[in-house]
Amino acid sequence: MHEPALRAAAFGSDPLPDPAVTRGPGTPRERLLSAIVLGAQGRYAAAAALLDPLRRATDPVLASLAASTLAAHRRQLGGHRQARALDGEAFAKAASLRTEPDPDGLDAVGARADALLGLAADNLALGRQRAARRLAARAAGQHAGWRACVRGGWVGAEIELAAGQGAAAVPHAERAFETAVARGARRHAVKSGIVLAVALGAAGRPDHRKISDGLVGNAMATAEECELLSLLWPAALVMADLRPGHAEEYRFRVAEVLHAVLRSADPCGRRIAGESPWVPAPGG
């Protein structure tokens, strides 16, 4: 079966598996992992086609994880209200479950942490900072493993950045980056590098520009190599700020990647992105 290769793609050292790995019908867990990989590549329509049936799966943990994964994809396109409904669904499915632990958090505790962190990110984007903090703290209390630690670091940094507390964002971002790198989770390290670069800039560290340039440059290189289009355009946006002399070419790359992503999105995803103030217009 393809589960080891799919885990390496979703959570490990090989984010770009052979296409045949994500193409087969597979077990429900393999379909969930395939959807995670496809979403990272910006192939949102293909991911949604796998996730929608899984949300109705008889296994409530898989159903919860499918809902929170689809929520993450909606959030990546700026659809925080749509994501909040899906994250609420995910939490409701996993709220009282008990299962054996999974090394990557594909278990009841991990499902609850995913849903709570998703809800925290959704509420933050909708201007509800207090709710976001409460939800992030509740997720941390789940003690759900390495992946929740990384994602909790992202959300914690974003909460502090939204509050104008750049210095307070840095430890959260550093924890996420260090955990992802130690785990060998390349995709998570890419996003963590972007978040850390933004946090260092907001903190006004004297050497932040050089460090951030390296972090985002490495993130862009990995995203290009591994076809992580969902992370490539945000990295290029940050790089446009770090290298103002080359901003035009980076913004052109943002538009180019977004065009490809939206071509591979389902109609709901395209509509969300078109209405979102968070997503640049592909032609702009």
Side-chain angles (χ1 to χ4, degrees):
M1 303 301 282
H2 293 312
E3 185 168 328
L6 285 166
R7 280 191 185 256
F11 307 130
S13 61
D14 186 19
L16 186 61
D18 185 304
V21 172
T22 57
R23 200 177 293 141
T27 66
R29 188 187 296 271
E30 288 171 342
R31 293 199 295 277
L32 172 69
L33 290 164
S34 293
I36 292 170
V37 174
L38 291 166
Q41 295 171 356
R43 297 167 61 189
Y44 293 121
L50 292 171
L51 292 169
D52 276 329
L54 286 173
R55 287 168 57 201
R56 300 184 291 276
T58 54
D59 180 340
V61 171
L62 279 176
S64 173
L65 291 164
S68 59
T69 300
L70 185 57
H73 297 170
R74 297 305 189 215
R75 195 160 48 246
Q76 287 161 13
L77 293 173
H80 301 281
R81 291 188 185 280
Q82 295 86 348
R84 185 170 62 170
L86 288 161
D87 283 318
E89 173 188 319
F91 184 75
K93 291 178 184 295
S96 60
L97 298 178
R98 298 288 183 272
T99 62
E100 290 297 313
D102 179 90
D104 298 310
L106 303 184
D107 51 35
V109 175
R112 282 193 292 276
D114 276 359
L116 288 165
L117 287 167
L119 285 166
D122 302 330
N123 278 277
L124 181 63
L126 296 171
R128 303 180 65 202
Q129 288 190 27
R130 289 184 182 179
R133 284 188 186 276
R134 287 197 302 271
L135 288 158
R138 196 171 167 192
Q142 299 291 313
H143 304 292
W146 76 268
R147 195 165 58 80
C149 179
V150 173
R151 296 187 69 233
W154 298 341
V155 174
E158 289 162 2
I159 289 170
E160 300 301 346
L161 289 168
Q165 302 296 320
V170 172
H172 294 283
E174 286 178 334
R175 183 179 79 247
F177 185 71
E178 289 164 3
T179 303
V181 170
R183 186 73 187 189
R186 292 183 76 193
R187 175 171 64 88
H188 292 72
V190 167
K191 180 167 178 177
S192 299
I194 299 167
V195 174
L196 179 54
V198 173
L200 289 169
R205 295 278 183 91
D207 55 353
H208 85 85
R209 193 165 290 276
K210 180 180 178 182
I211 296 172
S212 296
D213 191 278
L215 286 166
V216 183
N218 287 336
M220 278 197 71
T222 302
E224 290 273 15
E225 175 194 344
C226 300
E227 299 179 13
L228 301 174
L229 299 192
S230 66
L231 294 172
L232 182 53
W233 71 264
L237 268 182
V238 176
M239 194 60 95
D241 289 334
L242 289 170
R243 298 181 182 177
H246 299 275
E248 188 173 341
E249 64 187 80
Y250 285 115
R251 291 198 178 102
F252 177 81
R253 186 67 179 127
V254 170
E256 190 175 44
V257 173
L258 271 174
H259 178 72
V261 166
L262 294 179
R263 283 183 60 192
S264 298
D266 57 309
C268 180
R270 284 195 295 273
R271 178 180 57 78
I272 286 169
E275 294 172 353
S276 173
W278 302 93
V279 178

